[in-house]
Amino acid sequence: MKQHNSDIYNSLPLRRPGVRRNRYKMLEMWYGRDRAMTEISAHTAQPTPIDELLDGVLERIKRPENGTLIRLRSEWGKIVGAMLERFCEAESLRDGVLVLKVRHSALLVELRPSCDLICRKVNSVLGAEVCKEVRLCT
């Protein structure tokens, strides 16, 4: 018994409505009905083993800078003061670059000249040369 096109489209697993179905239609027009299913499986991402995913996540978690960032966040009020503590926070610390997330864009202009001072205060409070540069983002 010959399978109807709509049966093929409806049997395809969907992540986002219509995406895989539209891809199949496009590949069917390009390659023809017989080869379309083979081509769509070739253009579909292969599953990643869970151990590889976990290795990547754990590698990012165990970076020494993460412990420093946790300490930095706990001492943040001492570094920038109570007023600024409410409007900006330490987002990340990688390779000596501290990224501060500022809640209001007007503060970006005000804080830009103070980046060197914030960097020096971070290093003095944490007792190590962990911050070499401060970047601001909203």
Side-chain angles (χ1 to χ4, degrees), residues 91-118:
E91 180 78 16
S92 68
L93 178 64
R94 279 216 176 104
D95 301 323
V97 178
L98 173 63
V99 177
L100 297 182
K101 185 174 182 180
V102 182
R103 293 203 175 115
H104 198 281
S105 59
L107 275 175
L108 286 174
V109 177
E110 295 295 322
L111 285 177
R112 219 173 285 287
S114 303
C115 286
D116 290 336
L117 175 64
I118 292 171

Side-chain angles (χ1 to χ4, degrees), residues 80-88:
V80 295
M83 180 71 160
L84 281 178
E85 182 181 20
R86 292 184 296 171
F87 297 107
C88 66

Side-chain angles (χ1 to χ4, degrees), residues 118-132:
I118 292 171
C119 187
R120 285 194 304 269
K121 287 191 88 173
V122 164
N123 290 334
S124 69
V125 168
L126 296 181
E129 189 72 25
V130 293
C131 181
K132 296 175 183 148

Side-chain angles (χ1 to χ4, degrees), residues 15 44-50 52-53:
R15 290 184 190 197
T44 304
Q46 297 300 312
T48 305
I50 191 81
E52 287 180 23
L53 291 174

Side-chain angles (χ1 to χ4, degrees), residues 14-74:
L14 299 175
R15 290 184 190 197
R16 291 177 286 168
V19 171
R20 190 171 172 108
R21 192 171 296 138
N22 290 338
R23 234 183 252 156
Y24 178 79
K25 286 179 185 178
M26 188 173 61
L27 289 170
E28 183 183 34
M29 288 186 324
W30 184 262
Y31 290 109
R33 182 174 296 151
D34 298 333
R35 195 168 153 204
M37 284 305 281
T38 305
E39 289 300 322
I40 199 165
S41 64
H43 293 285
T44 304
Q46 297 300 312
T48 305
I50 191 81
D51 60 336
E52 287 180 23
L53 291 174
L54 284 174
D55 286 344
V57 169
L58 292 174
E59 198 60 38
R60 280 181 270 156
I61 289 174
K62 72 178 189 179
R63 292 178 67 126
E65 294 160 330
N66 287 339
T68 306
L69 183 62
I70 291 169
R71 263 187 64 216
L72 175 67
R73 286 178 178 162
S74 68

